[in-house]
């Protein structure tokens, strides 16, 4: 892609920046939707898919010392990773090619301490950098920033790691950074005691020099995690602002020309909303005023119902502001001061009438029945349903649980604790019951997703335990002979059949009845490639308390990744 191209229909590429990775093109850019600067890495090469997978996992880690990963994906055939803009100056530029810009010991301690802290945050989420070098550390007045987490590991140089585990790999990288900050020379990952790179540490503080010597001259001595490096460094001062610090921000567009001020406006003419006293002027968009409400009209029956009707008529007349009607049939007027009018019913036509009788209370029509109340019947039906449900639940619990995943040939795995139909029935025979499961990574950092181990024995085929994704099915460059999964039975029992449900195919798994401490020892009960649904019959029942699935070669997922995804394991 070239300048001004738009990546994924959203990110405009503005300027090419340098990258020390052969398979990465780095660009400054701008998110056209949110109008913010970004950094775009266009990824190529045979490891592009693994790099995207690692970047997706790293996107879950939030720390101010890491540029946040905003987007990971593909635009056609082009893989890309978009992050926040990079800030500060790279450590390579600060120290310089000739090493004349080597940091003073206090600043070296501060820089490596900040980097080690953020790597420990990532390690606790199961993510490692594995490609630490001066180019990925950037310094500014706000501190140190680490770039390339989750991307550079898949694309970087793996040849030097050897048998070093992933956590230890980052420790070696931190020791190399510390030596580089102090001496201006980038050392090899493994050096001898008399190496010239260590001679430059003669004037460094003893604790910093000892940390570099211990880690770089041994594969096992010294700190084993980034957190232990933080503890070894002790307290440090803030990172100072390097001279000439820059920020990886897209250039701002040229400012638009300032428009000339308009001509002075003439006098403002204001017009009253009323053109004359008492005349209404309709405002634009305003509906005409509503007509005033008409007062209610009181109507009386031709036959009034007593004195109350007379009073009501008088009140209605007053409310309507209309004089009473005079006529020969009107009641005699009451002289002022002669007291209240007598309570004599009066009709305007018939004259005085007898008082109306009090209204009778409402009566239920003849033949009507009382309304039915269904509450009692509803409660009775609900109680009956609850009793039936309890009886069914009790019977179901007595029968035991059924394993939910089925095999294609209509045979099914049995639950832990259920005697297989092919096994000889014996009242004294013990049945295997799975008590727990765990992941095994004895030659690494024991971090093959331990948080997900219960998913392989939870009788739910929609969940699964999985390993990390590797660049090679045989762990090339990591010095591992395998990773594994172990189950522990409640007590030692004969095992004759093992059922596996996976999302994989291929690879190689060895089934051993051995301790988790020695997963690659003991007799191999069965060995072969994985399939999605497997029923493995052992040559003869094996009395065991622990069983190990040892993956000497990783299988593939449907998308071609080198990773184990174990949905269920069951024994009988």
């Amino acid at each position: 892609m070239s300048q001004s191209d738009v990546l994924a229909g959203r990110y405009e590429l503005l300027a090419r920046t340098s990258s020390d990775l052969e398979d990465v093109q780095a660009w400054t850019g701008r998110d056209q939707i949110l109008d913010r600067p970004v950094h775009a890495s266009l990824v190529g090469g045979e490891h592009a898919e693994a790099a995207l997978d690692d970047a997706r996992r790293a996107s879950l880690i939030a720390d101010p010392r890491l540029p946040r990963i905003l987007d990971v994906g593909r635009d056609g055939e082009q893989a890309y990773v978009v992050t926040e803009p990079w800030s500060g100056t790279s450590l390579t530029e600060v120290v310089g090619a000739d090493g004349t810009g080597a940091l003073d010991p206090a600043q070296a301690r501060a820089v490596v301490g900040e980097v080690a802290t953020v790597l420990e945050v990532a390690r606790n989420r199961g993510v490692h950098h594995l490609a630490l070098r001066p180019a990925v550390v950037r310094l500014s007045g706000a501190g140190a920033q680490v770039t390339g987490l989750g991307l550079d590991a898949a694309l970087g140089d793996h040849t030097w790691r050897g048998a070093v585990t992933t956590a230890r790999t980052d420790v070696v990288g931190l020791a190399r950074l510390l030596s580089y900050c102090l001496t201006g020379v980038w050392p090899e990952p493994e050096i001898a005691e008399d190496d010239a790179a260590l001679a430059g540490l003669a004037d460094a503080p003893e604790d910093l020099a000892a940390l570099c010597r211990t880690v770089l001259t041994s594969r096992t001595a010294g700190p084993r995690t980034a957190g232990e490096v933080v503890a070894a460094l002790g307290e440090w001062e803030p990172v100072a602002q390097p001279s000439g610090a820059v920020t990886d921000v897209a250039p701002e567009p040229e400012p638009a020309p300032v428009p000339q001020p308009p001509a002075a406006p003439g006098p403002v003419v204001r017009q009253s909303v009323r053109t004359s006293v008492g005349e209404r002027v309709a405002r634009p968009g305003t509906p005409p005023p509503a007509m005033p409400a008409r007062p209610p009209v009181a109507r009386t029956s031709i036959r009034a119902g007593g004195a109350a009707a007379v009073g009501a008529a008088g009140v209605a007349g007053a409310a309507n502001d209309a004089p009473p009607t005079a006529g020969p049939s009107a009641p005699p007027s009451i002289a002022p001061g002669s007291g209240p009018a007598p309570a004599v019913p009066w009709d305007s036509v018939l004259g005085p009438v007898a008082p109306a009788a009090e209204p009778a209370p409402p009566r239920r029509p003849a033949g009507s029945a009382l309304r039915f109340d269904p509450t009692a019947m509803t409660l009775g039906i609900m109680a009956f349903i609850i009793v039936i449900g309890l009886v069914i639940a009790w019977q179901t619990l007595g029968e035991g649980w059924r394993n939910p995943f089925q095999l294609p040939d209509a045979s099914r795995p049995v639950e832990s604790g259920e005697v297989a139909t092919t096994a000889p029935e014996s009242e004294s025979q013990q049945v295997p019951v799975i008590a727990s499961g765990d992941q095994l990574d004895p030659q690494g950092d024991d971090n093959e997703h331990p948080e997900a181990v219960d998913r392989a024995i939870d009788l739910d085929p929609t969940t699964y335990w999985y390993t990390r994704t590797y660049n090679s099915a045989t762990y090339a460059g990591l010095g591992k002979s395998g990773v594994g999964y172990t189950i522990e039975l409640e007590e030692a029992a004969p095992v004759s059949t093992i059922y596996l449900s996976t999302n994989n195919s291929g690879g190689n798994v060895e089934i051993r009845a051995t301790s988790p401490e020695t997963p690659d020892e003991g007799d191999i009960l069965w060995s072969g490639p994985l399939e999605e649904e497997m029923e493995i019959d052992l040559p003869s029942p094996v009395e065991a308390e622990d069983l190990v699935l040892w993956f000497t070669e990783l299988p593939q997922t449907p998308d071609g990744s080198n990773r184990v995804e174990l949905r269920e394991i069951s024994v009988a």
Side-chain angles (χ1 to χ4, degrees):
M1 301 190 77
S2 58
Q3 187 174 7
S4 299
D5 285 350
V6 178
L7 180 67
R10 176 172 183 173
Y11 307 104
E12 182 184 6
L13 302 182
L14 299 179
R16 183 83 177 267
T17 62
S18 61
S19 173
D20 61 346
L21 294 176
E22 181 179 355
D23 294 328
V24 172
Q25 291 184 23
W27 290 81
T28 61
R30 179 166 293 274
D31 185 343
Q32 294 182 332
I33 295 179
L34 299 179
D35 191 25
R36 62 182 178 182
V38 295
H39 180 96
S41 297
L42 308 186
V43 185
E46 59 179 330
H47 301 298
E49 195 59 39
L52 297 186
D53 186 54
D54 290 348
R56 291 186 184 98
R57 290 198 298 139
S59 66
L60 302 177
I61 301 172
D63 191 279
R65 289 157 292 205
L66 292 173
R68 187 161 56 99
I69 296 177
L70 305 174
D71 194 4
V72 179
R74 285 185 175 272
D75 183 359
E77 295 297 324
Q78 179 62 66
Y80 64 86
V81 177
V82 176
T83 71
E84 292 176 328
W86 295 358
S87 63
T89 306
S90 71
L91 188 58
T92 304
E93 297 174 280
V94 173
V95 174
D98 55 359
T100 55
L103 307 182
D104 64 80
Q107 277 298 291
R109 187 190 303 269
V111 169
V112 177
E114 293 290 324
V115 176
T117 301
V118 74
L119 292 188
E120 179 66 11
V121 172
R123 187 188 73 86
N124 290 331
R125 299 295 300 270
V127 179
H128 305 274
H129 197 290
L130 308 182
L132 280 178
R133 57 196 188 280
V136 303
V137 179
R138 306 181 71 87
L139 307 182
S140 66
Q145 185 184 69
V146 180
T147 64
L149 181 69
L151 176 64
D152 293 9
L155 305 175
D157 181 14
H158 294 240
T159 58
W160 65 269
R161 296 178 194 167
V164 179
T165 63
T166 51
R168 177 71 176 183
T169 300
D170 281 347
V171 171
V172 174
L174 290 169
R176 298 175 77 187
L177 281 178
L178 180 58
S179 178
Y180 177 75
C181 291
L182 293 170
T183 65
V185 178
W186 181 241
E188 293 297 322
E190 296 179 9
I191 57 180
E193 289 282 356
D194 57 351
D195 193 281
L198 298 178
L201 299 173
D203 298 330
E206 181 57 34
D207 60 334
L208 301 183
L211 179 60
C212 295
R213 291 193 184 96
T214 302
V215 174
L216 297 179
T217 59
S218 171
R219 288 187 175 183
T220 57
R224 297 187 57 83
T225 65
E228 294 180 11
V229 174
V230 172
L233 291 173
E235 297 182 357
W236 57 80
E237 62 186 27
V239 176
Q241 170 79 26
S243 59
V246 295
T247 301
D248 179 19
V249 178
E252 295 294 334
E254 292 293 330
V258 179
Q260 296 297 322
V268 179
V269 178
R270 295 183 173 86
Q271 183 177 2
S272 172
V273 296
R274 298 181 183 272
T275 57
S276 61
V277 177
E279 181 182 353
R280 294 182 179 272
V281 178
R283 296 185 177 91
T286 303
M291 295 297 293
R294 179 174 302 190
V297 178
R299 295 180 175 87
T300 58
S301 174
I302 193 170
R303 296 182 180 274
V310 177
V315 173
N320 287 290
D321 199 21
T325 303
S329 59
S333 60
I334 305 299
S338 59
V344 178
W346 187 272
D347 189 274
S348 59
V349 177
L350 301 179
V353 295
E358 291 294 329
R363 299 178 62 187
R364 186 170 63 251
S368 63
L370 291 173
R371 297 183 64 181
F372 173 69
D373 185 358
T375 304
M377 179 176 290
T378 302
L379 293 176
I381 293 174
M382 292 179 62
F384 177 75
I385 293 174
I386 292 173
V387 171
I388 295 299
L390 291 175
V391 172
I392 295 174
W394 180 262
Q395 292 176 348
T396 302
L397 290 174
E399 294 176 359
W401 295 99
R402 292 184 178 274
N403 196 309
F405 63 94
Q406 302 292 331
L407 295 179
D409 58 358
S411 60
R412 70 170 184 87
V414 298
E415 307 155 20
S416 300
E418 181 178 342
V419 180
T421 56
T422 57
E425 297 183 0
S426 172
E427 294 184 358
S428 61
Q429 181 180 1
Q430 294 177 328
V431 293
V433 179
I434 295 179
S436 63
D438 199 2
Q439 53 85 37
L440 301 174
D441 185 20
Q443 296 159 336
D445 56 356
D446 284 326
N447 198 18
E448 296 291 343
H449 293 286
E451 75 282 356
V453 293
D454 291 338
R455 301 176 188 173
I457 55 174
D458 62 357
L459 298 180
D460 182 358
T462 63
T463 63
Y464 55 86
W465 167 78
Y466 57 104
T467 66
R468 287 179 288 193
T469 302
Y470 290 81
N471 295 330
S472 166
T474 55
Y475 316 96
L478 298 180
K480 291 185 179 183
S481 62
V483 297
Y485 187 89
T486 179
I487 58 172
E488 180 182 359
L489 305 181
E490 290 186 353
E491 57 181 343
V495 177
S496 59
T497 306
I498 299 175
Y499 303 93
L500 299 180
S501 178
T502 75
N503 296 329
N504 296 110
S505 61
N508 186 73
V509 58
E510 299 174 351
I511 299 179
R512 300 173 182 263
T514 183
S515 168
E517 286 74 22
T518 56
D520 55 350
E521 298 181 6
D523 295 335
I524 300 177
L525 307 180
W526 185 89
S527 177
L530 281 182
E531 300 175 5
E532 289 191 3
E533 304 289 348
M534 303 181 68
E535 179 179 350
I536 302 172
D537 292 322
L538 302 181
S540 60
V542 176
E543 186 84 13
E545 187 172 358
D546 296 287
L547 290 174
V548 171
L549 305 181
W550 186 244
F551 300 96
T552 58
E553 180 180 347
L554 290 170
Q556 282 73 46
T557 58
D559 63 358
S561 300
N562 299 310
R563 179 175 64 242
V564 179
E565 293 184 359
L566 179 59
R567 290 188 292 167
E568 288 297 326
I569 178 172
S570 181
V571 297

